[in-house]
Amino acid sequence: MTKIYAVIGYPVEHSLSPVMQNAAFKYANIDAEYKAIEVMPEDLGAFMQFSYNENICGLNVTMPHKEAIGQYVQADEIAQKIGAINTVYKEKDKFFGTNTDWRGIVDPLKAATKLKDKKVTILGAGGAAKAACYGLFKTGADVTIWNRTHEKAEELAKRWGFKASEEVGDSEIIINCTSVGFEDAEESPVSSKVFKYTEIAFDVVYGVETKFTRDAKAAGAIVIDGLEMLLHQGYACFEIWTGQPAPKDMMRSAVKEQLTVNN
Ligand code: ATR
């Protein structure tokens, strides 16, 4: 029987995950189909009941369900430490929740540079920032968190032994984990002056060139955009679900092709 996987969220119709994961299943010759399913917050419980009854083998979970889904699946240690679930997998007929968003942030950074002792500033203190903290904790990077609501930055920093700052200081790496460019690509959470000493600027927003990435490029920084986050978290999901190495090139070209069609 064809195995069913899906991304659930609200809204979810613009998700690139179906294109990415279906390309991978096809290439790996796995009889599986990945769908995008819109689930309203009030329907999440009923949907999870439906998932248990049907042949759903795994899920990606996106806004606004990343925390609420914890009521219906067993969160693993990573998801518990981050405080959010973006991936659900099935083992012995039971659903478990994990988180691969941290891989989406740390794997591209590791591929670009050595992180130990690097001065890293995380902008934001929401879900993406929490995943970044988990991933960076293990690398030995020197992390400072800045957030519009400073108390939240302090709370998150305390949890990981990082610093919190009300100003964005000189940093070798700046990661935009706020939703600012997502809502309006012409808005940036920081002034263009902050990139003076920046080696790498990473924006978790994908699909558009944001002011954040434009300013960073103009200052001479290497830019990593949210497409890398999408791909690297997706590679990790495929490996969790199938136990096979992800066909990375195939997944990347499928997503790029779809973005060309969309634009
Ligand atoms: P996600 O799961 O994508 O990280 P989230 O949990 O809703 O989304 O977090 C959004 C982040 O973007 C928060 O850090 C938020 O700051 P606050 O904690 O002060 O709300 C940040 N953010 C949203 N709009 C912002 C804005 N206009 N300027 C600066 N930061 C903003």
Side-chain angles (χ1 to χ4, degrees), residues 63 66 123-129 146-149 152 177-180 183 189:
M63 277 192 322
K66 284 187 176 184
L123 308 174
W146 171 92
N147 191 48
R148 177 177 61 178
T149 313
K152 284 205 234 163
C177 292
T178 72
S179 48
V180 177
E183 286 153 13

mmCIF file with all atom_site columns, all heavy atoms in Angstrom, residues 63 66 123-129 146-149 152 177-180 183 189, ligand 1:
data_model
loop_
_atom_site.group_PDB
_atom_site.id
_atom_site.type_symbol
_atom_site.label_atom_id
_atom_site.label_alt_id
_atom_site.label_comp_id
_atom_site.label_asym_id
_atom_site.label_entity_id
_atom_site.label_seq_id
_atom_site.pdbx_PDB_ins_code
_atom_site.Cartn_x
_atom_site.Cartn_y
_atom_site.Cartn_z
_atom_site.occupancy
_atom_site.B_iso_or_equiv
_atom_site.pdbx_formal_charge
_atom_site.auth_seq_id
_atom_site.auth_comp_id
_atom_site.auth_asym_id
_atom_site.auth_atom_id
_atom_site.pdbx_PDB_model_num
ATOM   1   N N   . MET A 1 63  ? 3.366  26.135 10.985 1.00 0.00 ? 63  MET A N   1
ATOM   2   C CA  . MET A 1 63  ? 2.517  27.092 11.704 1.00 0.00 ? 63  MET A CA  1
ATOM   3   C C   . MET A 1 63  ? 1.035  26.773 11.532 1.00 0.00 ? 63  MET A C   1
ATOM   4   O O   . MET A 1 63  ? 0.638  26.481 10.398 1.00 0.00 ? 63  MET A O   1
ATOM   5   C CB  . MET A 1 63  ? 2.762  28.505 11.159 1.00 0.00 ? 63  MET A CB  1
ATOM   6   C CG  . MET A 1 63  ? 3.945  29.171 11.750 1.00 0.00 ? 63  MET A CG  1
ATOM   7   S SD  . MET A 1 63  ? 4.030  30.923 11.362 1.00 0.00 ? 63  MET A SD  1
ATOM   8   C CE  . MET A 1 63  ? 3.469  31.105 9.703  1.00 0.00 ? 63  MET A CE  1
ATOM   9   N N   . LYS A 1 66  ? 3.125  23.785 15.687 1.00 0.00 ? 66  LYS A N   1
ATOM   10  C CA  . LYS A 1 66  ? 4.399  23.203 16.127 1.00 0.00 ? 66  LYS A CA  1
ATOM   11  C C   . LYS A 1 66  ? 4.469  22.897 17.628 1.00 0.00 ? 66  LYS A C   1
ATOM   12  O O   . LYS A 1 66  ? 5.239  22.046 18.051 1.00 0.00 ? 66  LYS A O   1
ATOM   13  C CB  . LYS A 1 66  ? 5.569  24.100 15.733 1.00 0.00 ? 66  LYS A CB  1
ATOM   14  C CG  . LYS A 1 66  ? 5.914  24.006 14.256 1.00 0.00 ? 66  LYS A CG  1
ATOM   15  C CD  . LYS A 1 66  ? 7.182  24.773 13.945 1.00 0.00 ? 66  LYS A CD  1
ATOM   16  C CE  . LYS A 1 66  ? 7.563  24.583 12.486 1.00 0.00 ? 66  LYS A CE  1
ATOM   17  N NZ  . LYS A 1 66  ? 8.830  25.229 12.152 1.00 0.00 ? 66  LYS A NZ  1
ATOM   18  N N   . LEU A 1 123 ? 18.816 36.668 15.827 1.00 0.00 ? 123 LEU A N   1
ATOM   19  C CA  . LEU A 1 123 ? 17.754 37.673 15.931 1.00 0.00 ? 123 LEU A CA  1
ATOM   20  C C   . LEU A 1 123 ? 16.442 36.932 16.090 1.00 0.00 ? 123 LEU A C   1
ATOM   21  O O   . LEU A 1 123 ? 16.082 36.117 15.233 1.00 0.00 ? 123 LEU A O   1
ATOM   22  C CB  . LEU A 1 123 ? 17.702 38.527 14.659 1.00 0.00 ? 123 LEU A CB  1
ATOM   23  C CG  . LEU A 1 123 ? 19.022 39.158 14.203 1.00 0.00 ? 123 LEU A CG  1
ATOM   24  C CD1 . LEU A 1 123 ? 18.839 39.841 12.844 1.00 0.00 ? 123 LEU A CD1 1
ATOM   25  C CD2 . LEU A 1 123 ? 19.530 40.162 15.238 1.00 0.00 ? 123 LEU A CD2 1
ATOM   26  N N   . GLY A 1 124 ? 15.725 37.184 17.188 1.00 0.00 ? 124 GLY A N   1
ATOM   27  C CA  . GLY A 1 124 ? 14.443 36.523 17.422 1.00 0.00 ? 124 GLY A CA  1
ATOM   28  C C   . GLY A 1 124 ? 14.517 35.572 18.593 1.00 0.00 ? 124 GLY A C   1
ATOM   29  O O   . GLY A 1 124 ? 15.619 35.179 19.034 1.00 0.00 ? 124 GLY A O   1
ATOM   30  N N   . ALA A 1 125 ? 13.337 35.222 19.113 1.00 0.00 ? 125 ALA A N   1
ATOM   31  C CA  . ALA A 1 125 ? 13.276 34.298 20.249 1.00 0.00 ? 125 ALA A CA  1
ATOM   32  C C   . ALA A 1 125 ? 12.074 33.365 20.108 1.00 0.00 ? 125 ALA A C   1
ATOM   33  O O   . ALA A 1 125 ? 11.608 32.781 21.081 1.00 0.00 ? 125 ALA A O   1
ATOM   34  C CB  . ALA A 1 125 ? 13.201 35.078 21.563 1.00 0.00 ? 125 ALA A CB  1
ATOM   35  N N   . GLY A 1 126 ? 11.569 33.214 18.872 1.00 0.00 ? 126 GLY A N   1
ATOM   36  C CA  . GLY A 1 126 ? 10.442 32.309 18.609 1.00 0.00 ? 126 GLY A CA  1
ATOM   37  C C   . GLY A 1 126 ? 10.934 30.911 18.255 1.00 0.00 ? 126 GLY A C   1
ATOM   38  O O   . GLY A 1 126 ? 12.047 30.513 18.625 1.00 0.00 ? 126 GLY A O   1
ATOM   39  N N   . GLY A 1 127 ? 10.104 30.180 17.519 1.00 0.00 ? 127 GLY A N   1
ATOM   40  C CA  . GLY A 1 127 ? 10.395 28.784 17.209 1.00 0.00 ? 127 GLY A CA  1
ATOM   41  C C   . GLY A 1 127 ? 11.716 28.573 16.474 1.00 0.00 ? 127 GLY A C   1
ATOM   42  O O   . GLY A 1 127 ? 12.507 27.697 16.835 1.00 0.00 ? 127 GLY A O   1
ATOM   43  N N   . ALA A 1 128 ? 11.970 29.387 15.451 1.00 0.00 ? 128 ALA A N   1
ATOM   44  C CA  . ALA A 1 128 ? 13.197 29.217 14.663 1.00 0.00 ? 128 ALA A CA  1
ATOM   45  C C   . ALA A 1 128 ? 14.427 29.516 15.523 1.00 0.00 ? 128 ALA A C   1
ATOM   46  O O   . ALA A 1 128 ? 15.445 28.816 15.445 1.00 0.00 ? 128 ALA A O   1
ATOM   47  C CB  . ALA A 1 128 ? 13.159 30.134 13.438 1.00 0.00 ? 128 ALA A CB  1
ATOM   48  N N   . ALA A 1 129 ? 14.313 30.540 16.364 1.00 0.00 ? 129 ALA A N   1
ATOM   49  C CA  . ALA A 1 129 ? 15.437 30.896 17.243 1.00 0.00 ? 129 ALA A CA  1
ATOM   50  C C   . ALA A 1 129 ? 15.713 29.784 18.256 1.00 0.00 ? 129 ALA A C   1
ATOM   51  O O   . ALA A 1 129 ? 16.872 29.467 18.552 1.00 0.00 ? 129 ALA A O   1
ATOM   52  C CB  . ALA A 1 129 ? 15.113 32.208 17.974 1.00 0.00 ? 129 ALA A CB  1
ATOM   53  N N   . TRP A 1 146 ? 19.327 38.519 20.335 1.00 0.00 ? 146 TRP A N   1
ATOM   54  C CA  . TRP A 1 146 ? 18.634 39.805 20.349 1.00 0.00 ? 146 TRP A CA  1
ATOM   55  C C   . TRP A 1 146 ? 17.187 39.544 19.963 1.00 0.00 ? 146 TRP A C   1
ATOM   56  O O   . TRP A 1 146 ? 16.914 38.760 19.057 1.00 0.00 ? 146 TRP A O   1
ATOM   57  C CB  . TRP A 1 146 ? 19.262 40.769 19.328 1.00 0.00 ? 146 TRP A CB  1
ATOM   58  C CG  . TRP A 1 146 ? 18.440 42.014 19.160 1.00 0.00 ? 146 TRP A CG  1
ATOM   59  C CD1 . TRP A 1 146 ? 18.578 43.178 19.847 1.00 0.00 ? 146 TRP A CD1 1
ATOM   60  C CD2 . TRP A 1 146 ? 17.331 42.202 18.268 1.00 0.00 ? 146 TRP A CD2 1
ATOM   61  N NE1 . TRP A 1 146 ? 17.622 44.081 19.443 1.00 0.00 ? 146 TRP A NE1 1
ATOM   62  C CE2 . TRP A 1 146 ? 16.845 43.510 18.475 1.00 0.00 ? 146 TRP A CE2 1
ATOM   63  C CE3 . TRP A 1 146 ? 16.687 41.404 17.330 1.00 0.00 ? 146 TRP A CE3 1
ATOM   64  C CZ2 . TRP A 1 146 ? 15.756 44.032 17.784 1.00 0.00 ? 146 TRP A CZ2 1
ATOM   65  C CZ3 . TRP A 1 146 ? 15.599 41.922 16.634 1.00 0.00 ? 146 TRP A CZ3 1
ATOM   66  C CH2 . TRP A 1 146 ? 15.143 43.224 16.859 1.00 0.00 ? 146 TRP A CH2 1
ATOM   67  N N   . ASN A 1 147 ? 16.259 40.157 20.664 1.00 0.00 ? 147 ASN A N   1
ATOM   68  C CA  . ASN A 1 147 ? 14.843 40.044 20.278 1.00 0.00 ? 147 ASN A CA  1
ATOM   69  C C   . ASN A 1 147 ? 14.121 41.352 20.547 1.00 0.00 ? 147 ASN A C   1
ATOM   70  O O   . ASN A 1 147 ? 14.480 42.087 21.471 1.00 0.00 ? 147 ASN A O   1
ATOM   71  C CB  . ASN A 1 147 ? 14.174 38.905 21.069 1.00 0.00 ? 147 ASN A CB  1
ATOM   72  C CG  . ASN A 1 147 ? 12.803 38.574 20.525 1.00 0.00 ? 147 ASN A CG  1
ATOM   73  O OD1 . ASN A 1 147 ? 12.626 38.410 19.317 1.00 0.00 ? 147 ASN A OD1 1
ATOM   74  N ND2 . ASN A 1 147 ? 11.805 38.492 21.390 1.00 0.00 ? 147 ASN A ND2 1
ATOM   75  N N   . ARG A 1 148 ? 13.104 41.650 19.716 1.00 0.00 ? 148 ARG A N   1
ATOM   76  C CA  . ARG A 1 148 ? 12.317 42.869 19.912 1.00 0.00 ? 148 ARG A CA  1
ATOM   77  C C   . ARG A 1 148 ? 11.820 42.949 21.354 1.00 0.00 ? 148 ARG A C   1
ATOM   78  O O   . ARG A 1 148 ? 11.927 43.974 22.004 1.00 0.00 ? 148 ARG A O   1
ATOM   79  C CB  . ARG A 1 148 ? 11.132 42.862 18.931 1.00 0.00 ? 148 ARG A CB  1
ATOM   80  C CG  . ARG A 1 148 ? 10.218 44.029 19.076 1.00 0.00 ? 148 ARG A CG  1
ATOM   81  C CD  . ARG A 1 148 ? 9.128  43.988 18.041 1.00 0.00 ? 148 ARG A CD  1
ATOM   82  N NE  . ARG A 1 148 ? 8.289  42.784 18.156 1.00 0.00 ? 148 ARG A NE  1
ATOM   83  C CZ  . ARG A 1 148 ? 7.242  42.538 17.385 1.00 0.00 ? 148 ARG A CZ  1
ATOM   84  N NH1 . ARG A 1 148 ? 6.903  43.375 16.436 1.00 0.00 ? 148 ARG A NH1 1
ATOM   85  N NH2 . ARG A 1 148 ? 6.527  41.436 17.551 1.00 0.00 ? 148 ARG A NH2 1
ATOM   86  N N   . THR A 1 149 ? 11.273 41.838 21.849 1.00 0.00 ? 149 THR A N   1
ATOM   87  C CA  . THR A 1 149 ? 10.845 41.775 23.246 1.00 0.00 ? 149 THR A CA  1
ATOM   88  C C   . THR A 1 149 ? 12.016 41.175 24.038 1.00 0.00 ? 149 THR A C   1
ATOM   89  O O   . THR A 1 149 ? 12.244 39.959 24.017 1.00 0.00 ? 149 THR A O   1
ATOM   90  C CB  . THR A 1 149 ? 9.591  40.885 23.379 1.00 0.00 ? 149 THR A CB  1
ATOM   91  O OG1 . THR A 1 149 ? 8.656  41.268 22.361 1.00 0.00 ? 149 THR A OG1 1
ATOM   92  C CG2 . THR A 1 149 ? 8.949  40.993 24.742 1.00 0.00 ? 149 THR A CG2 1
ATOM   93  N N   . LYS A 1 152 ? 12.114 37.990 26.372 1.00 0.00 ? 152 LYS A N   1
ATOM   94  C CA  . LYS A 1 152 ? 12.094 36.647 25.756 1.00 0.00 ? 152 LYS A CA  1
ATOM   95  C C   . LYS A 1 152 ? 13.499 36.211 25.354 1.00 0.00 ? 152 LYS A C   1
ATOM   96  O O   . LYS A 1 152 ? 13.843 35.032 25.442 1.00 0.00 ? 152 LYS A O   1
ATOM   97  C CB  . LYS A 1 152 ? 11.170 36.655 24.528 1.00 0.00 ? 152 LYS A CB  1
ATOM   98  C CG  . LYS A 1 152 ? 9.705  36.647 24.874 1.00 0.00 ? 152 LYS A CG  1
ATOM   99  C CD  . LYS A 1 152 ? 8.921  36.047 23.716 1.00 0.00 ? 152 LYS A CD  1
ATOM   100 C CE  . LYS A 1 152 ? 7.829  36.958 23.242 1.00 0.00 ? 152 LYS A CE  1
ATOM   101 N NZ  . LYS A 1 152 ? 7.309  36.621 21.920 1.00 0.00 ? 152 LYS A NZ  1
ATOM   102 N N   . CYS A 1 177 ? 16.144 35.014 12.648 1.00 0.00 ? 177 CYS A N   1
ATOM   103 C CA  . CYS A 1 177 ? 15.088 34.047 12.990 1.00 0.00 ? 177 CYS A CA  1
ATOM   104 C C   . CYS A 1 177 ? 13.789 34.761 13.326 1.00 0.00 ? 177 CYS A C   1
ATOM   105 O O   . CYS A 1 177 ? 12.899 34.171 13.934 1.00 0.00 ? 177 CYS A O   1
ATOM   106 C CB  . CYS A 1 177 ? 15.523 33.191 14.176 1.00 0.00 ? 177 CYS A CB  1
ATOM   107 S SG  . CYS A 1 177 ? 16.870 32.074 13.805 1.00 0.00 ? 177 CYS A SG  1
ATOM   108 N N   . THR A 1 178 ? 13.674 36.045 12.964 1.00 0.00 ? 178 THR A N   1
ATOM   109 C CA  . THR A 1 178 ? 12.390 36.737 13.166 1.00 0.00 ? 178 THR A CA  1
ATOM   110 C C   . THR A 1 178 ? 11.533 36.515 11.922 1.00 0.00 ? 178 THR A C   1
ATOM   111 O O   . THR A 1 178 ? 12.011 36.050 10.896 1.00 0.00 ? 178 THR A O   1
ATOM   112 C CB  . THR A 1 178 ? 12.573 38.263 13.356 1.00 0.00 ? 178 THR A CB  1
ATOM   113 O OG1 . THR A 1 178 ? 12.925 38.850 12.091 1.00 0.00 ? 178 THR A OG1 1
ATOM   114 C CG2 . THR A 1 178 ? 13.621 38.588 14.398 1.00 0.00 ? 178 THR A CG2 1
ATOM   115 N N   . SER A 1 179 ? 10.271 36.882 12.034 1.00 0.00 ? 179 SER A N   1
ATOM   116 C CA  . SER A 1 179 ? 9.372  36.734 10.875 1.00 0.00 ? 179 SER A CA  1
ATOM   117 C C   . SER A 1 179 ? 9.319  38.019 10.055 1.00 0.00 ? 179 SER A C   1
ATOM   118 O O   . SER A 1 179 ? 8.463  38.158 9.182  1.00 0.00 ? 179 SER A O   1
ATOM   119 C CB  . SER A 1 179 ? 7.979  36.347 11.374 1.00 0.00 ? 179 SER A CB  1
ATOM   120 O OG  . SER A 1 179 ? 7.601  37.191 12.435 1.00 0.00 ? 179 SER A OG  1
ATOM   121 N N   . VAL A 1 180 ? 10.238 38.950 10.317 1.00 0.00 ? 180 VAL A N   1
ATOM   122 C CA  . VAL A 1 180 ? 10.137 40.282 9.704  1.00 0.00 ? 180 VAL A CA  1
ATOM   123 C C   . VAL A 1 180 ? 10.149 40.264 8.171  1.00 0.00 ? 180 VAL A C   1
ATOM   124 O O   . VAL A 1 180 ? 9.238  40.765 7.539  1.00 0.00 ? 180 VAL A O   1
ATOM   125 C CB  . VAL A 1 180 ? 11.228 41.224 10.238 1.00 0.00 ? 180 VAL A CB  1
ATOM   126 C CG1 . VAL A 1 180 ? 11.163 42.569 9.534  1.00 0.00 ? 180 VAL A CG1 1
ATOM   127 C CG2 . VAL A 1 180 ? 11.047 41.432 11.734 1.00 0.00 ? 180 VAL A CG2 1
ATOM   128 N N   . GLU A 1 183 ? 6.967  38.716 6.465  1.00 0.00 ? 183 GLU A N   1
ATOM   129 C CA  . GLU A 1 183 ? 5.760  39.544 6.346  1.00 0.00 ? 183 GLU A CA  1
ATOM   130 C C   . GLU A 1 183 ? 5.937  40.618 5.283  1.00 0.00 ? 183 GLU A C   1
ATOM   131 O O   . GLU A 1 183 ? 5.014  40.923 4.537  1.00 0.00 ? 183 GLU A O   1
ATOM   132 C CB  . GLU A 1 183 ? 5.432  40.182 7.707  1.00 0.00 ? 183 GLU A CB  1
ATOM   133 C CG  . GLU A 1 183 ? 4.845  39.182 8.693  1.00 0.00 ? 183 GLU A CG  1
ATOM   134 C CD  . GLU A 1 183 ? 5.109  39.533 10.154 1.00 0.00 ? 183 GLU A CD  1
ATOM   135 O OE1 . GLU A 1 183 ? 5.526  40.668 10.442 1.00 0.00 ? 183 GLU A OE1 1
ATOM   136 O OE2 . GLU A 1 183 ? 4.903  38.634 11.000 1.00 0.00 ? 183 GLU A OE2 1
ATOM   137 N N   . PRO A 1 189 ? 14.915 43.433 10.403 1.00 0.00 ? 189 PRO A N   1
ATOM   138 C CA  . PRO A 1 189 ? 14.872 43.657 11.854 1.00 0.00 ? 189 PRO A CA  1
ATOM   139 C C   . PRO A 1 189 ? 16.059 44.483 12.351 1.00 0.00 ? 189 PRO A C   1
ATOM   140 O O   . PRO A 1 189 ? 16.064 44.935 13.495 1.00 0.00 ? 189 PRO A O   1
ATOM   141 C CB  . PRO A 1 189 ? 14.910 42.243 12.433 1.00 0.00 ? 189 PRO A CB  1
ATOM   142 C CG  . PRO A 1 189 ? 15.550 41.406 11.379 1.00 0.00 ? 189 PRO A CG  1
ATOM   143 C CD  . PRO A 1 189 ? 15.195 42.031 10.060 1.00 0.00 ? 189 PRO A CD  1
HETATM 144 P P1  . ATR B 2 .   ? 8.819  31.420 14.269 1.00 0.00 ? 1   ATR B P1  1
HETATM 145 O O1  . ATR B 2 .   ? 8.247  30.123 14.753 1.00 0.00 ? 1   ATR B O1  1
HETATM 146 O O2  . ATR B 2 .   ? 8.830  31.574 12.762 1.00 0.00 ? 1   ATR B O2  1
HETATM 147 O O3  . ATR B 2 .   ? 10.153 31.744 14.877 1.00 0.00 ? 1   ATR B O3  1
HETATM 148 P P2  . ATR B 2 .   ? 7.369  33.044 16.130 1.00 0.00 ? 1   ATR B P2  1
HETATM 149 O O4  . ATR B 2 .   ? 7.566  31.984 17.122 1.00 0.00 ? 1   ATR B O4  1
HETATM 150 O O5  . ATR B 2 .   ? 6.021  33.668 15.994 1.00 0.00 ? 1   ATR B O5  1
HETATM 151 O O6  . ATR B 2 .   ? 7.759  32.549 14.690 1.00 0.00 ? 1   ATR B O6  1
HETATM 152 O O7  . ATR B 2 .   ? 8.450  34.194 16.385 1.00 0.00 ? 1   ATR B O7  1
HETATM 153 C C1  . ATR B 2 .   ? 8.508  35.335 15.623 1.00 0.00 ? 1   ATR B C1  1
HETATM 154 C C2  . ATR B 2 .   ? 9.759  36.151 16.008 1.00 0.00 ? 1   ATR B C2  1
HETATM 155 O O8  . ATR B 2 .   ? 9.825  37.301 15.151 1.00 0.00 ? 1   ATR B O8  1
HETATM 156 C C3  . ATR B 2 .   ? 9.746  36.679 17.432 1.00 0.00 ? 1   ATR B C3  1
HETATM 157 O O9  . ATR B 2 .   ? 11.073 36.704 17.913 1.00 0.00 ? 1   ATR B O9  1
HETATM 158 C C4  . ATR B 2 .   ? 9.206  38.114 17.250 1.00 0.00 ? 1   ATR B C4  1
HETATM 159 O O10 . ATR B 2 .   ? 9.592  39.023 18.246 1.00 0.00 ? 1   ATR B O10 1
HETATM 160 P P3  . ATR B 2 .   ? 8.698  39.242 19.584 1.00 0.00 ? 1   ATR B P3  1
HETATM 161 O O11 . ATR B 2 .   ? 9.081  38.124 20.514 1.00 0.00 ? 1   ATR B O11 1
HETATM 162 O O12 . ATR B 2 .   ? 9.088  40.570 20.087 1.00 0.00 ? 1   ATR B O12 1
HETATM 163 O O13 . ATR B 2 .   ? 7.254  39.149 19.140 1.00 0.00 ? 1   ATR B O13 1
HETATM 164 C C5  . ATR B 2 .   ? 9.872  38.484 15.955 1.00 0.00 ? 1   ATR B C5  1
HETATM 165 N N1  . ATR B 2 .   ? 9.183  39.575 15.259 1.00 0.00 ? 1   ATR B N1  1
HETATM 166 C C6  . ATR B 2 .   ? 7.968  39.538 14.666 1.00 0.00 ? 1   ATR B C6  1
HETATM 167 N N2  . ATR B 2 .   ? 7.671  40.737 14.118 1.00 0.00 ? 1   ATR B N2  1
HETATM 168 C C7  . ATR B 2 .   ? 8.744  41.558 14.379 1.00 0.00 ? 1   ATR B C7  1
HETATM 169 C C8  . ATR B 2 .   ? 9.068  42.912 14.060 1.00 0.00 ? 1   ATR B C8  1
HETATM 170 N N3  . ATR B 2 .   ? 8.220  43.666 13.351 1.00 0.00 ? 1   ATR B N3  1
HETATM 171 N N4  . ATR B 2 .   ? 10.273 43.396 14.470 1.00 0.00 ? 1   ATR B N4  1
HETATM 172 C C9  . ATR B 2 .   ? 11.140 42.627 15.169 1.00 0.00 ? 1   ATR B C9  1
HETATM 173 N N5  . ATR B 2 .   ? 10.896 41.337 15.499 1.00 0.00 ? 1   ATR B N5  1
HETATM 174 C C10 . ATR B 2 .   ? 9.719  40.808 15.108 1.00 0.00 ? 1   ATR B C10 1
#
